[in-house]
Amino acid sequence: MTPTGTNGSGGEDVQRGSSGPSNATDPEVWRAYWASVADSGRRRQVDLAAADPLGRWLVAEAPVLVEDHDIDPQDLHVDPDAAFAAAREGFEALVADRDLPDHGDDRYGYESLPVHLTAVGRVDSGTFALRDPVADANTLVTLDGATVVGDASRRQEAAVLTYRCPRGHETPVCQPLLRTWSVETCGEADCDRDVVPDDARTRPRTVARFTVDGPDGALPCVAVGRYAVDEFDRLAAADRIHLTGVVRLLVDANGELEPTCEVVAAEPVAP
Ligand SMILES: [Zn+2]
Protein backbone atom coordinates (compact mmCIF):
# COMPACT_ATOMS: atom_id res chain seq x y z
CA MET A 1 0.00 0.00 0.00
CA THR A 2 1.29 3.41 -0.85
CA PRO A 3 0.23 6.50 1.09
CA THR A 4 -0.40 8.62 -1.97
CA GLY A 5 -1.03 7.97 -5.60
CA THR A 6 1.85 9.23 -7.69
CA ASN A 7 2.33 8.96 -11.40
CA GLY A 8 -0.58 10.89 -12.69
CA SER A 9 -3.32 9.53 -10.50
CA GLY A 10 -4.27 13.05 -9.53
CA GLY A 11 -4.24 14.89 -6.23
CA GLU A 12 -7.64 13.84 -4.98
CA ASP A 13 -6.66 10.53 -3.50
CA VAL A 14 -5.13 11.74 -0.26
CA GLN A 15 -7.66 9.65 1.65
CA ARG A 16 -6.05 6.47 0.47
CA GLY A 17 -4.96 4.43 3.45
CA SER A 18 -5.17 0.94 4.83
CA SER A 19 -8.92 0.79 4.27
CA GLY A 20 -8.90 2.54 0.91
CA PRO A 21 -8.48 1.07 -2.52
CA SER A 22 -5.03 -0.05 -3.57
CA ASN A 23 -3.28 1.20 -6.68
CA ALA A 24 -3.95 -2.20 -8.29
CA THR A 25 -7.70 -1.58 -8.14
CA ASP A 26 -7.64 2.17 -8.83
CA PRO A 27 -8.93 2.95 -12.35
CA GLU A 28 -7.04 6.28 -12.24
CA VAL A 29 -3.74 4.47 -11.82
CA TRP A 30 -4.57 2.22 -14.74
CA ARG A 31 -5.67 5.17 -16.85
CA ALA A 32 -2.25 6.73 -16.27
CA TYR A 33 -0.60 3.45 -17.22
CA TRP A 34 -2.59 3.09 -20.46
CA ALA A 35 -1.84 6.73 -21.26
CA SER A 36 1.87 5.93 -20.97
CA VAL A 37 1.38 2.96 -23.29
CA ALA A 38 -0.52 5.12 -25.78
CA ASP A 39 2.28 7.69 -25.69
CA SER A 40 4.93 5.05 -26.27
CA GLY A 41 5.61 2.89 -29.28
CA ARG A 42 2.57 0.77 -28.47
CA ARG A 43 -0.01 3.33 -29.51
CA ARG A 44 -1.42 0.99 -32.14
CA GLN A 45 -2.35 -1.58 -29.52
CA VAL A 46 -4.42 1.06 -27.72
CA ASP A 47 -6.17 2.19 -30.90
CA LEU A 48 -7.03 -1.37 -31.94
CA ALA A 49 -8.36 -2.31 -28.51
CA ALA A 50 -10.46 0.86 -28.37
CA ALA A 51 -12.09 0.11 -31.70
CA ASP A 52 -12.48 -3.65 -31.29
CA PRO A 53 -12.59 -4.78 -27.65
CA LEU A 54 -13.84 -8.26 -28.55
CA GLY A 55 -11.30 -8.95 -31.28
CA ARG A 56 -8.23 -7.25 -29.80
CA TRP A 57 -6.56 -6.96 -26.41
CA LEU A 58 -4.30 -4.94 -24.16
CA VAL A 59 -0.94 -6.02 -22.83
CA ALA A 60 0.24 -4.65 -19.47
CA GLU A 61 3.77 -5.22 -18.28
CA ALA A 62 3.80 -6.16 -14.62
CA PRO A 63 7.30 -4.79 -13.86
CA VAL A 64 6.30 -1.35 -15.19
CA LEU A 65 3.09 -1.33 -13.14
CA VAL A 66 5.06 -2.21 -10.03
CA GLU A 67 7.99 0.12 -10.54
CA ASP A 68 6.39 3.14 -12.20
CA HIS A 69 2.84 3.01 -10.85
CA ASP A 70 3.33 1.71 -7.31
CA ILE A 71 1.14 -1.33 -7.83
CA ASP A 72 1.74 -3.97 -5.16
CA PRO A 73 2.27 -7.44 -6.73
CA GLN A 74 0.49 -8.94 -3.74
CA ASP A 75 -2.68 -7.03 -4.66
CA LEU A 76 -2.54 -8.41 -8.20
CA HIS A 77 -2.09 -11.90 -6.78
CA VAL A 78 -4.92 -11.76 -4.27
CA ASP A 79 -7.67 -10.10 -6.32
CA PRO A 80 -6.92 -10.16 -10.04
CA ASP A 81 -10.59 -9.69 -10.95
CA ALA A 82 -10.70 -6.33 -9.17
CA ALA A 83 -7.42 -5.31 -10.80
CA PHE A 84 -8.56 -6.24 -14.30
CA ALA A 85 -11.91 -4.51 -13.78
CA ALA A 86 -10.00 -1.36 -12.81
CA ALA A 87 -7.72 -1.83 -15.82
CA ARG A 88 -10.73 -1.89 -18.16
CA GLU A 89 -12.40 1.04 -16.44
CA GLY A 90 -9.19 3.06 -16.67
CA PHE A 91 -8.89 2.17 -20.33
CA GLU A 92 -12.47 3.22 -21.04
CA ALA A 93 -11.72 6.56 -19.36
CA LEU A 94 -8.65 7.00 -21.56
CA VAL A 95 -10.67 6.26 -24.70
CA ALA A 96 -13.15 8.96 -23.66
CA ASP A 97 -10.38 11.42 -22.64
CA ARG A 98 -8.62 11.21 -25.93
CA ASP A 99 -11.70 10.77 -28.03
CA LEU A 100 -10.22 7.66 -29.63
CA PRO A 101 -12.25 5.91 -32.31
CA ASP A 102 -14.30 3.48 -30.25
CA HIS A 103 -16.46 0.51 -31.09
CA GLY A 104 -19.41 2.45 -32.48
CA ASP A 105 -22.91 2.14 -31.14
CA ASP A 106 -22.63 -1.34 -29.68
CA ARG A 107 -23.52 -1.37 -26.03
CA TYR A 108 -21.20 -4.08 -24.79
CA GLY A 109 -18.45 -1.67 -23.77
CA TYR A 110 -15.07 -2.89 -22.62
CA GLU A 111 -16.25 -5.48 -20.11
CA SER A 112 -14.93 -8.37 -22.22
CA LEU A 113 -11.72 -6.70 -23.41
CA PRO A 114 -8.85 -9.14 -22.69
CA VAL A 115 -6.10 -7.65 -20.53
CA HIS A 116 -2.89 -9.66 -20.64
CA LEU A 117 -0.41 -9.14 -17.83
CA THR A 118 3.09 -10.18 -18.78
CA ALA A 119 6.29 -10.86 -16.80
CA VAL A 120 4.40 -11.35 -13.54
CA GLY A 121 6.96 -13.91 -12.38
CA ARG A 122 9.70 -11.33 -12.71
CA VAL A 123 8.22 -9.07 -10.05
CA ASP A 124 7.56 -11.65 -7.34
CA SER A 125 7.78 -15.23 -8.52
CA GLY A 126 7.34 -16.82 -5.11
CA THR A 127 4.02 -15.11 -4.50
CA PHE A 128 2.53 -16.22 -7.78
CA ALA A 129 3.57 -19.88 -7.99
CA LEU A 130 0.58 -22.22 -8.48
CA ARG A 131 0.84 -24.96 -5.87
CA ASP A 132 -2.72 -26.16 -5.45
CA PRO A 133 -5.36 -25.41 -8.12
CA VAL A 134 -8.18 -25.54 -5.57
CA ALA A 135 -6.55 -23.59 -2.75
CA ASP A 136 -5.13 -21.01 -5.16
CA ALA A 137 -8.36 -20.56 -7.12
CA ASN A 138 -9.33 -17.01 -8.15
CA THR A 139 -5.85 -15.66 -7.50
CA LEU A 140 -3.29 -14.68 -10.11
CA VAL A 141 -0.77 -17.51 -10.40
CA THR A 142 2.05 -18.74 -12.60
CA LEU A 143 3.23 -22.14 -13.76
CA ASP A 144 6.80 -22.10 -15.03
CA GLY A 145 7.63 -24.43 -17.85
CA ALA A 146 4.41 -26.43 -17.68
CA THR A 147 4.25 -29.35 -20.09
CA VAL A 148 1.54 -29.04 -22.72
CA VAL A 149 -0.61 -32.17 -22.85
CA GLY A 150 -2.41 -33.10 -26.08
CA ASP A 151 -3.41 -30.71 -28.83
CA ALA A 152 -4.53 -27.11 -28.62
CA SER A 153 -7.77 -26.09 -30.31
CA ARG A 154 -9.64 -22.90 -31.01
CA ARG A 155 -13.05 -21.84 -32.19
CA GLN A 156 -15.47 -18.92 -32.27
CA GLU A 157 -17.71 -18.53 -29.23
CA ALA A 158 -20.24 -15.91 -28.21
CA ALA A 159 -18.69 -13.02 -26.31
CA VAL A 160 -21.92 -11.06 -26.09
CA LEU A 161 -25.50 -12.28 -26.44
CA THR A 162 -28.24 -9.71 -26.88
CA TYR A 163 -31.81 -10.14 -25.68
CA ARG A 164 -34.72 -8.08 -26.94
CA CYS A 165 -38.08 -7.34 -25.33
CA PRO A 166 -41.36 -6.65 -27.18
CA ARG A 167 -40.85 -2.92 -26.64
CA GLY A 168 -37.56 -3.12 -28.54
CA HIS A 169 -35.11 -2.66 -25.67
CA GLU A 170 -31.84 -4.51 -26.03
CA THR A 171 -30.17 -6.20 -23.07
CA PRO A 172 -26.59 -7.20 -23.93
CA VAL A 173 -25.07 -9.92 -21.75
CA CYS A 174 -21.29 -10.27 -21.76
CA GLN A 175 -20.44 -13.93 -21.50
CA PRO A 176 -17.87 -15.20 -19.02
CA LEU A 177 -15.24 -17.44 -20.54
CA LEU A 178 -16.36 -20.67 -18.96
CA ARG A 179 -20.13 -20.37 -18.83
CA THR A 180 -23.06 -19.25 -20.95
CA TRP A 181 -25.33 -16.74 -19.26
CA SER A 182 -28.83 -15.84 -20.30
CA VAL A 183 -31.53 -13.49 -18.96
CA GLU A 184 -35.30 -13.87 -18.91
CA THR A 185 -36.49 -10.31 -18.48
CA CYS A 186 -35.61 -6.93 -19.95
CA GLY A 187 -32.68 -5.10 -18.37
CA GLU A 188 -34.01 -1.62 -19.18
CA ALA A 189 -35.00 0.49 -16.19
CA ASP A 190 -38.77 0.46 -15.63
CA CYS A 191 -39.29 -2.46 -18.02
CA ASP A 192 -39.72 -6.04 -16.90
CA ARG A 193 -41.06 -7.63 -20.08
CA ASP A 194 -39.89 -11.11 -21.13
CA VAL A 195 -37.04 -11.16 -23.64
CA VAL A 196 -35.92 -13.39 -26.51
CA PRO A 197 -32.41 -13.72 -27.93
CA ASP A 198 -31.65 -11.51 -30.94
CA ASP A 199 -29.24 -13.70 -32.89
CA ALA A 200 -28.43 -10.92 -35.34
CA ARG A 201 -26.67 -9.13 -32.46
CA THR A 202 -24.50 -12.03 -31.27
CA ARG A 203 -20.88 -10.89 -31.01
CA PRO A 204 -18.20 -13.59 -31.42
CA ARG A 205 -14.68 -13.92 -30.11
CA THR A 206 -11.93 -16.43 -30.71
CA VAL A 207 -11.31 -18.83 -27.83
CA ALA A 208 -8.36 -21.24 -27.56
CA ARG A 209 -8.18 -24.30 -25.37
CA PHE A 210 -5.23 -26.40 -24.33
CA THR A 211 -4.18 -28.50 -21.37
CA VAL A 212 -1.03 -28.38 -19.25
CA ASP A 213 0.39 -30.67 -16.63
CA GLY A 214 -0.40 -28.85 -13.36
CA PRO A 215 0.44 -29.64 -9.74
CA ASP A 216 -2.63 -31.89 -9.44
CA GLY A 217 -2.48 -33.42 -12.89
CA ALA A 218 -4.02 -32.16 -16.10
CA LEU A 219 -5.14 -28.55 -15.91
CA PRO A 220 -7.42 -27.35 -18.75
CA CYS A 221 -6.68 -23.81 -19.93
CA VAL A 222 -8.84 -21.33 -21.82
CA ALA A 223 -7.41 -18.30 -23.61
CA VAL A 224 -8.76 -15.31 -25.52
CA GLY A 225 -7.17 -12.26 -27.10
CA ARG A 226 -3.53 -12.42 -28.10
CA TYR A 227 -3.13 -16.10 -27.20
CA ALA A 228 -6.13 -17.19 -29.24
CA VAL A 229 -5.28 -14.98 -32.22
CA ASP A 230 -1.73 -13.78 -32.94
CA GLU A 231 0.12 -16.19 -30.64
CA PHE A 232 -2.03 -19.28 -31.07
CA ASP A 233 0.21 -21.08 -33.57
CA ARG A 234 3.30 -20.54 -31.42
CA LEU A 235 1.47 -21.84 -28.36
CA ALA A 236 0.00 -24.82 -30.19
CA ALA A 237 3.46 -25.83 -31.37
CA ALA A 238 5.07 -25.53 -27.93
CA ASP A 239 5.95 -28.50 -25.73
CA ARG A 240 6.24 -26.40 -22.60
CA ILE A 241 4.98 -22.94 -21.69
CA HIS A 242 5.29 -20.33 -18.98
CA LEU A 243 1.73 -19.71 -17.93
CA THR A 244 0.09 -16.89 -15.97
CA GLY A 245 -3.58 -17.21 -15.20
CA VAL A 246 -6.50 -17.41 -12.82
CA VAL A 247 -7.84 -20.86 -11.88
CA ARG A 248 -11.64 -21.12 -11.65
CA LEU A 249 -13.40 -23.98 -9.91
CA LEU A 250 -16.01 -25.28 -12.31
CA VAL A 251 -18.42 -27.83 -10.93
CA ASP A 252 -19.63 -30.76 -13.00
CA ALA A 253 -23.06 -32.40 -12.84
CA ASN A 254 -21.91 -34.59 -9.93
CA GLY A 255 -20.72 -31.65 -7.88
CA GLU A 256 -17.10 -32.47 -8.57
CA LEU A 257 -14.65 -29.60 -8.98
CA GLU A 258 -12.95 -29.10 -12.32
CA PRO A 259 -10.18 -26.50 -11.86
CA THR A 260 -9.77 -24.61 -15.16
CA CYS A 261 -7.23 -21.90 -15.86
CA GLU A 262 -8.20 -18.63 -17.54
CA VAL A 263 -5.02 -17.60 -19.30
CA VAL A 264 -3.66 -14.11 -18.58
CA ALA A 265 -0.35 -14.65 -20.37
CA ALA A 266 1.43 -17.61 -21.96
CA GLU A 267 4.89 -17.86 -23.44
CA PRO A 268 6.44 -20.94 -25.08
CA VAL A 269 9.62 -22.14 -23.38
CA ALA A 270 12.50 -21.97 -25.81
CA PRO A 271 13.50 -25.52 -26.76
ZN1 LIG B 1 -37.86 -3.73 -22.30
Side-chain angles (χ1 to χ4, degrees), residues 2-234:
T2 53
T4 56
T6 53
N7 296 303
S9 57
E12 62 271 88
D13 49 2
V14 290
Q15 295 302 315
R16 185 176 294 146
S18 56
S19 61
S22 75
N23 275 13
T25 56
D26 184 345
E28 286 298 309
V29 172
W30 282 95
R31 178 167 69 168
Y33 174 70
W34 298 128
S36 73
V37 171
D39 293 336
S40 73
R42 295 193 291 147
R43 170 64 193 270
R44 184 170 153 76
Q45 176 199 139
V46 168
D47 288 347
L48 289 171
D52 185 9
L54 299 181
R56 302 301 299 184
W57 52 85
L58 293 171
V59 179
E61 296 172 356
V64 178
L65 289 166
V66 170
E67 285 155 29
D68 294 354
H69 296 267
D70 283 336
I71 284 184
D72 185 340
Q74 186 68 24
D75 292 335
L76 295 173
H77 166 67
V78 170
D79 197 350
D81 292 327
F84 289 132
R88 293 185 184 97
E89 198 180 319
F91 182 71
E92 190 162 9
L94 180 76
V95 171
D97 280 354
R98 302 215 172 170
D99 204 17
L100 298 178
D102 66 10
H103 50 86
D105 63 356
D106 271 317
R107 292 170 56 198
Y108 51 77
Y110 292 100
E111 191 181 321
S112 298
L113 173 64
V115 178
H116 302 309
L117 189 56
T118 60
V120 162
R122 246 195 279 144
V123 295
D124 196 344
S125 57
T127 293
F128 291 99
L130 174 62
R131 296 184 179 88
D132 177 344
V134 173
D136 293 337
N138 306 311
T139 63
L140 188 67
V141 291
T142 60
L143 266 176
D144 279 332
T147 303
V148 180
V149 183
D151 292 330
S153 67
R154 66 173 162 180
R155 64 178 187 184
Q156 299 285 305
E157 297 182 8
V160 183
L161 295 178
T162 298
Y163 294 84
R164 187 182 297 280
C165 84
R167 291 168 63 188
H169 302 135
E170 290 181 356
T171 304
V173 180
C174 291
Q175 299 296 312
L177 249 187
L178 303 170
R179 296 284 185 203
T180 302
W181 284 357
S182 59
V183 295
E184 309 265 299
T185 55
C186 184
E188 192 80 12
D190 304 324
C191 180
D192 58 1
R193 305 287 288 268
D194 288 349
V195 292
V196 292
D198 181 347
D199 298 321
R201 303 279 287 156
T202 298
R203 294 287 178 262
R205 68 179 160 200
T206 307
V207 179
R209 287 183 159 73
F210 56 93
T211 303
V212 299
D213 195 14
D216 268 357
L219 179 67
C221 300
V222 182
V224 292
R226 180 190 207 179
Y227 305 104
V229 183
D230 285 0
E231 294 289 313
F232 176 76
D233 290 338
R234 278 184 75 218

Side-chain angles (χ1 to χ4, degrees), residues 215-267:
D216 268 357
L219 179 67
C221 300
V222 182
V224 292
R226 180 190 207 179
Y227 305 104
V229 183
D230 285 0
E231 294 289 313
F232 176 76
D233 290 338
R234 278 184 75 218
L235 274 184
D239 295 323
R240 293 195 308 136
I241 56 175
H242 295 304
L243 186 67
T244 301
V246 180
V247 176
R248 307 295 184 188
L249 299 180
L250 298 191
V251 181
D252 71 13
N254 300 318
E256 231 173 287
L257 294 178
E258 297 175 358
T260 302
C261 181
E262 292 182 359
V263 173
V264 169
E267 183 64 28

